Amino acid sequence: MSRRWTDWAIAAGVAASLVVAGASRPVTTLEPLGFALLAASGLALVARRSHPRAVLAATGLTALGYQAAGFDVPVIAFLFAVYAAMRAGHHVVTVAGSVLMLAALPLAVVLSPRDLTTAEAFTQSRDVLQIAWLVAAAAAGEALRQAERRADEAERTREETALRRANEERLHIARELHDSLTHQISVIKLQAEVAVHLARKRREDVPDALIAIRDASREATRELRATLEALRDDTEYHGLGDVPDLVDRARTTGLDARLTIEGDRADLPAAVDRTAYRIVQESLTNIARHARAASASVHIDHREDALVIRVDDDGTATPNGTPGVGLRGMRERVTALGGRLDAAPRTGGGFRVHAELPVAQP
């Protein structure tokens, strides 16, 4: 059964119970009006989900109406409305409506055709709406609202966790592709280009298959780069504009870091811009972790055909025979763009990372 049909069934059931309860009471001169108000009070509950405040007001007014008409029937529909309003989160309106109802009920009973004293009117109003009933209805509505809110938060947390894990997995796939496929394709392209160059230098005929391999590897490099960018789909784009922040953060660790930028080129390709940032980031990270350096300098030179990045430090760390993951990652990024990266100890001490990234994409 749909929710709408359920609401109609509940409203009709409450209306029927109120009418039956009214029929069991002594007959009054306002009997037709009283039965109409009893039925209207119950049927108003059909809109309790969509318009809880309006239903609270409607059930309260109809309850006062049939009490004034002489029908001594508990205000059941109003209690349902209190529950619905609290469940919807309308605390102030519910409390205010309940207080007004408690205050107005004795007056409605006094105005009824029945000849009741003031004490009897207060007793009857207490019987048709006890404070305990109000508290129970409000507490039930608030308890269910809190339970639904916690369920929604739990579901949202699960969705956010699943999305975060999916993004992490996508980034992991992108890195794996970068570390494996890009390297292999770059090696194929380099070997093909060297073979073509040597054949032409020796004035030999260059096989068509070799030309096809060279051209295909170039195209594969471009397509792979585009695929990697789509896979990475980083929500935060970092480029050369963020390098000053990297240098500032390095200074907070006690490192005397300096940044020098020469030239100006605002139309860097996105892949070059991102790779330049990663080179500086990884270099400063390695200095902080391994170099035991007191100072470091970052030099960025915008040339006509290339972007040159140089990061020097005065540390004492020397590279071992196996490059670290970060250094391999930098080299693969640079190679994928057709550039060159050198990372080695300096003659006067310390370590230098020197990268040249061509501006014109291969």
Side-chain angles (χ1 to χ4, degrees), residues 251-337:
R251 292 194 188 104
T252 63
T253 64
L255 181 69
D256 180 16
R258 298 180 301 277
L259 172 64
T260 304
I261 300 177
E262 294 184 5
D264 184 17
R265 187 182 182 93
D267 57 346
L268 282 175
V272 174
D273 194 30
R274 191 193 300 271
T275 300
Y277 173 86
R278 296 301 182 190
I279 290 172
V280 176
Q281 181 187 45
E282 187 64 33
S283 297
L284 292 176
T285 300
N286 287 340
I287 292 172
R289 291 179 177 176
H290 311 299
R292 298 189 294 276
S295 64
S297 63
V298 178
H299 184 87
I300 298 174
D301 186 7
H302 293 273
R303 299 179 182 175
E304 183 177 354
D305 58 347
L307 176 70
V308 179
I309 304 163
R310 190 178 71 246
V311 182
D312 295 316
D313 68 74
D314 62 353
T316 59
T318 57
N320 52 33
T322 304
V325 175
L327 182 57
R328 288 201 304 270
M330 281 194 290
R331 194 179 302 280
E332 299 302 339
R333 286 176 182 269
V334 173
T335 303
L337 295 175

Side-chain angles (χ1 to χ4, degrees), residues 17-326:
S17 66
L18 289 174
V19 171
V20 170
S24 65
R25 299 299 192 270
V27 178
T28 69
T29 56
L30 300 176
E31 183 173 312
L33 176 61
F35 279 121
L37 291 172
L38 286 168
S41 181
L43 292 177
L45 294 176
V46 73
R48 71 185 188 281
R49 296 182 192 271
S50 57
H51 302 87
R53 289 175 294 186
V55 171
L56 183 70
T59 55
L61 291 174
T62 52
L64 292 175
Y66 66 69
Q67 288 293 327
F71 283 77
D72 179 17
V73 178
V75 291
I76 300 174
F78 181 74
L79 294 176
F80 273 89
V82 167
Y83 164 82
M86 285 296 290
R87 181 178 176 180
H90 303 304
H91 300 138
V92 176
V93 173
T94 305
V95 173
S98 300
V99 171
L100 289 174
M101 189 68 174
L102 289 171
L105 260 180
L107 180 60
V109 175
V110 169
L111 296 176
S112 67
R114 290 163 293 177
D115 187 13
L116 299 176
T117 64
T118 303
E120 291 172 338
F122 272 95
T123 299
Q124 182 172 316
S125 64
R126 183 192 62 191
D127 292 339
V128 299
L129 179 60
Q130 294 188 14
I131 295 179
W133 296 353
L134 275 176
V135 172
E142 177 63 14
L144 186 57
R145 187 183 76 86
Q146 293 290 343
E148 290 175 341
R149 183 178 63 83
R150 287 193 294 269
D152 291 341
E153 290 179 353
E155 181 65 24
R156 185 168 58 253
T157 301
R158 284 194 295 269
E159 292 176 355
E160 291 174 353
T161 301
L163 180 60
R164 176 176 55 81
R165 289 177 178 173
N167 288 335
E168 291 175 352
E169 182 63 21
R170 180 164 55 184
L171 291 178
H172 175 71
I173 293 172
R175 295 188 185 101
E176 289 296 324
L177 286 172
H178 185 276
D179 291 342
S180 57
L181 297 181
T182 304
H183 173 70
Q184 299 300 331
I185 294 176
S186 298
V187 169
I188 294 172
K189 182 183 70 171
L190 180 61
Q191 291 178 343
E193 289 176 344
V194 170
V196 170
H197 173 73
L198 291 177
R200 288 174 175 171
K201 185 177 180 180
R202 296 168 182 168
R203 302 181 184 277
E204 299 174 354
D205 292 336
V206 181
D208 293 339
L210 191 58
I211 297 294
I213 292 173
R214 184 197 62 181
D215 295 341
S217 60
R218 285 180 177 178
E219 182 63 24
T221 301
R222 285 193 292 267
E223 292 182 359
L224 180 59
R225 186 182 307 118
T227 303
L228 290 176
E229 292 299 322
L231 280 172
R232 290 182 60 85
D233 192 20
D234 289 335
T235 55
E236 291 186 58
Y237 180 91
H238 292 297
L240 284 180
D242 300 304
V243 168
D245 293 335
L246 286 177
V247 176
D248 289 340
R249 286 200 295 271
R251 292 194 188 104
T252 63
T253 64
L255 181 69
D256 180 16
R258 298 180 301 277
L259 172 64
T260 304
I261 300 177
E262 294 184 5
D264 184 17
R265 187 182 182 93
D267 57 346
L268 282 175
V272 174
D273 194 30
R274 191 193 300 271
T275 300
Y277 173 86
R278 296 301 182 190
I279 290 172
V280 176
Q281 181 187 45
E282 187 64 33
S283 297
L284 292 176
T285 300
N286 287 340
I287 292 172
R289 291 179 177 176
H290 311 299
R292 298 189 294 276
S295 64
S297 63
V298 178
H299 184 87
I300 298 174
D301 186 7
H302 293 273
R303 299 179 182 175
E304 183 177 354
D305 58 347
L307 176 70
V308 179
I309 304 163
R310 190 178 71 246
V311 182
D312 295 316
D313 68 74
D314 62 353
T316 59
T318 57
N320 52 33
T322 304
V325 175

